[in-house]
Amino acid sequence: MTWLRHLAVWIGGAALLAATAIDTLAVIGRNFGLPIVGSIELVQAAVLVSGIMGLIFATAGDDHAHVRIVTDRLGRWRSSAALLGPLSMALFFLALLAGSLWLASDLWNGHEQSELLGVSWRVLRLIANLGLGACIVIALAALVRRKQP
Amino acid sequence: MIYATPATGLIGLLVLFGLILGGVRIGAALGLVGLGGLALVLSPEAALIKAGVITLDTLTRYELGTLPLFLLMAHVFFAVDASRDMFDAAARFIGHRRGGLAYAAVAGCAGFGSINGSSLATAATIGSVALPEMRRRGYSDALATGTVAAGGTLGQMIPPSGALIVYGIITETSIGDLFTAAIIPGLSQALFYLVVVWLVVRWRPDLAPASERAGWSERWRALRRIWDMIALVVLVIGGIVAGWVSPSEAAAIGAAGSLVIAALRKGLTRAMLFSACEATLKTSGMIFLIIIGALIFAVFIGVTGVTEAAGAMVSSLSLGTIGTLVVIALLLLVLGSVLDGLALMLLTTPILLPIVEATGMSALWFGIFITRAMEMGFVHPPLGMNLYVIQGVAKDVSIGRIFKGVMPFLASDFVHLFLLILVPGMALWLPTVMQ
């Protein structure tokens, strides 16, 4: 899983730096009479990429927030309770992916684009769906690993 | 819609608590209960489509860029030892006084809190710098650890605050207004902590001995190490408060500025950048999942009408504005002792905000209030995350000692929270003036 986390950091990090650069240049440009047209749309795309990579990274490292006040005291039931984590993550991501794919298929022929730069929403949806798919695979892999004695 | 009743909402809440306490990841628990509830109340098709809409809407929200970019700024500063520099500067100026290092730790927490929106990170980083120094100079371990554990909570209140960004996104309240509203409560909270240190040291002078005074050349050298960071923070927060830039733009300027400062300090390496991006993505991925789950859960709660029912019940008690808000504060403090801060905010906001608004208070005020209540959860048992973070830094000090040290600060937190209820202008005055 290390290579996947590294990949997520490089891609997500590049998106973060891109968002930083675009918004900073947009502010500077605005004050010098050289506004960057569509900067918000570009930042939106960068935020999507970094967000999806963040979800992949946090899921791969099992970094998602949880409360351990009860599970730490479960004794022999602790290992069974530990399966709930990845199982619920896989189910939730599956539901998100199903909903997102449903919308993508409904709107496929709509050729949605952003207003100023014409950024294709098909592409943005594709990135989101691939990311959600990756999260499902990661959560299922974690579930299988935990089931093994 | 036969199941669209407050009872369904209540059952959903109980299931949610069960899942969270059962170890299900908070974001997934919120989302699954929301989806299950919507499938029951509306239809499975409507639930899935709503989930799809919320996912893409959330991940492409321009305002959401504020969070990872402020996190990036904090992690870059962390990598160039900003926390040490902040504490050092404060220690050079006031460290020689009795209790001076405790004052410096509070000032360091407030300073680091202004470049970092997290209580845990502030407590951990300032703790790793301040605790060894305070203990070396003979400070009581209870006072030293208590000061840093409580001071760490300033990270959550002093802008830019991660909690306020999340609150702004889920309640569609202006993040800029929230940051502006948090300035006076954040500064007054720091002032309260300074007063607590002063009182404790007056009562028991042996807890914090005075030490040697640093010369002015040393003081200026320490100040020179942080002036660039202070200038950037003033530009970023001042820009938002004055309305020159949006919070997202300010976050980008902050991140860019931190990279420039790191480069000037010769700390901008590939490894440092990788580690800053890694930490940023980890935290933002964790928070994004909770936001998506919370938004789905909020739709479910809204459809069931449980908020209206809770509001009607509270109204029927005729507690008045202050009585209602005190009851809400107590509820938040009780829940905060078992729930993670962000979960507490995201779980209770859809239910409590309408009740608070019915008392005449605004969503802006409630954002500050709930963040303040959330902070207190970081320092009171059994969860009290900051206490455990500090124990991780000072491993030989027991949790009991740390809690003993934090008690006077917790008492001041109660007074401060009550003051926020009695004088809402503490939060609302500055945004009104700046408009």
Side-chain angles (χ1 to χ4, degrees), chain B residues 65-237:
Chain B
T66 314
L67 187 70
L69 295 187
F70 271 133
L71 284 171
L72 181 63
M73 173 177 105
H75 288 300
V76 170
F77 274 143
F78 176 67
V80 292
D81 262 349
S83 51
R84 177 175 296 279
D85 292 341
M86 293 269 186
F87 174 73
D88 273 353
R92 294 286 173 275
F93 277 86
I94 47 176
H96 60 283
R97 295 179 184 279
R98 193 171 288 282
L101 287 181
Y103 296 129
V106 173
C109 285
F112 193 63
S114 67
I115 52 175
N116 159 51
S118 153
S119 286
L120 297 177
T122 304
T125 48
I126 296 293
S128 63
V129 181
L131 284 179
E133 188 66 17
M134 288 162 94
R135 298 181 76 192
R136 191 175 66 79
R137 296 208 201 170
Y139 277 56
S140 133
D141 51 10
L143 175 67
T145 51
T147 305
V148 183
T153 64
L154 289 165
Q156 198 77 272
M157 180 59 83
I158 292 183
S161 150
L164 289 176
I165 295 172
V166 172
Y167 177 84
I169 288 169
I170 60 163
T171 62
E172 302 197 337
T173 307
S174 156
I175 295 170
D177 283 350
L178 283 165
F179 281 0
T180 310
I183 290 176
I184 293 177
L187 292 178
S188 55
Q189 183 187 346
L191 193 67
F192 268 53
Y193 288 168
L194 295 177
V195 171
V196 168
V197 173
W198 183 78
L199 288 172
V200 169
V201 171
R202 268 186 82 85
W203 174 54
R204 289 276 308 273
D206 57 305
L207 295 182
S211 53
E212 71 275 18
R213 177 191 286 265
W216 276 102
S217 63
E218 240 182 292
R219 291 179 179 186
W220 288 124
R221 208 173 318 130
L223 208 55
R224 269 205 300 275
R225 292 281 301 164
I226 61 165
W227 76 267
D228 46 2
M229 288 186 284
I230 292 178
L232 182 65
V233 167
V234 169
L235 179 73
V236 165
I237 305 300

Side-chain angles (χ1 to χ4, degrees), chain A residues 6 9 20 23-24 30 44 48 50-51 54-55 57 62-65 70-71 88-89 92 95-96 99 102-103 125, chain B residues 21-22 24-26 31 35 45 48 52-53 55-56 59-60 62 69 244 249 252 256 274 278 281-282 285 288-289:
Chain A
H6 269 74
V9 173
T20 302
D23 247 352
T24 306
R30 193 171 66 215
Q44 277 180 306
L48 170 73
S50 75
L55 283 174
F57 185 82
D62 194 18
D63 297 318
H64 290 293
V70 174
T71 50
S88 59
M89 292 294 291
F92 184 47
L96 296 183
W102 195 321
L103 280 175
R125 284 183 203 284
Chain B
L21 292 177
V24 172
R25 300 327 182 232
I26 292 165
L35 275 166
E45 181 186 336
L48 282 182
V53 170
T55 305
L56 203 70
L59 290 171
T60 54
Y62 176 64
L69 295 187
W244 297 329
E249 290 170 339
F274 185 87
E278 188 179 31
L281 289 171
K282 177 180 155 181
F288 286 0
L289 185 82

Side-chain angles (χ1 to χ4, degrees), chain A residues 88-120:
Chain A
S88 59
M89 292 294 291
L91 277 175
F92 184 47
F93 281 124
L94 189 65
L96 296 183
L97 179 63
S100 184
L101 283 174
W102 195 321
L103 280 175
S105 68
D106 266 3
L107 300 167
W108 187 257
N109 294 319
H111 299 285
E112 290 174 289
Q113 287 185 333
S114 67
E115 275 176 40
L116 298 170
L117 299 177
V119 178
S120 167

Side-chain angles (χ1 to χ4, degrees), chain B residues 119-384:
Chain B
S119 286
L120 297 177
T122 304
T125 48
I126 296 293
S128 63
V129 181
L131 284 179
E133 188 66 17
M134 288 162 94
R135 298 181 76 192
R136 191 175 66 79
R137 296 208 201 170
Y139 277 56
S140 133
D141 51 10
L143 175 67
T145 51
T147 305
V148 183
T153 64
L154 289 165
Q156 198 77 272
M157 180 59 83
I158 292 183
S161 150
L164 289 176
I165 295 172
V166 172
Y167 177 84
I169 288 169
I170 60 163
T171 62
E172 302 197 337
T173 307
S174 156
I175 295 170
D177 283 350
L178 283 165
F179 281 0
T180 310
I183 290 176
I184 293 177
L187 292 178
S188 55
Q189 183 187 346
L191 193 67
F192 268 53
Y193 288 168
L194 295 177
V195 171
V196 168
V197 173
W198 183 78
L199 288 172
V200 169
V201 171
R202 268 186 82 85
W203 174 54
R204 289 276 308 273
D206 57 305
L207 295 182
S211 53
E212 71 275 18
R213 177 191 286 265
W216 276 102
S217 63
E218 240 182 292
R219 291 179 179 186
W220 288 124
R221 208 173 318 130
L223 208 55
R224 269 205 300 275
R225 292 281 301 164
I226 61 165
W227 76 267
D228 46 2
M229 288 186 284
I230 292 178
L232 182 65
V233 167
V234 169
L235 179 73
V236 165
I237 305 300
I240 297 173
V241 173
W244 297 329
V245 286
S246 69
S248 311
E249 290 170 339
I253 292 170
S258 67
L259 290 169
V260 171
I261 290 171
L264 291 174
R265 292 179 173 211
K266 299 187 177 23
L268 186 61
T269 60
R270 197 174 119 148
M272 181 276 248
L273 200 56
F274 185 87
S275 122
C277 288
E278 188 179 31
T280 303
L281 289 171
K282 177 180 155 181
T283 314
S284 53
M286 187 191 88
I287 295 176
F288 286 0
L289 185 82
I290 298 181
I291 293 177
I292 293 170
L295 288 171
I296 296 171
F297 179 74
V299 176
F300 162 63
I301 284 294
V303 171
T304 60
V306 74
T307 49
E308 288 85 351
M313 195 186 79
V314 172
S315 302
S316 69
L317 296 173
S318 305
L319 295 170
T321 302
I322 292 178
T324 306
L325 296 176
V326 169
V327 169
I328 287 175
L330 291 174
L331 177 73
L332 289 172
L333 294 175
V334 170
L335 289 176
S337 63
V338 285
L339 279 179
D340 160 82
L342 206 55
L344 173 73
M345 171 183 273
L346 294 171
L347 184 68
T348 55
T349 296
I351 300 162
L352 296 180
L353 181 57
I355 298 174
V356 168
E357 285 181 322
T359 67
M361 306 304 280
S362 63
L364 183 62
W365 177 86
F366 186 61
I368 305 301
F369 175 76
I370 197 168
T371 304
R372 191 69 192 80
M374 233 176 94
E375 284 180 319
M376 291 169 68
F378 279 103
V379 285
H380 74 76
L383 208 57

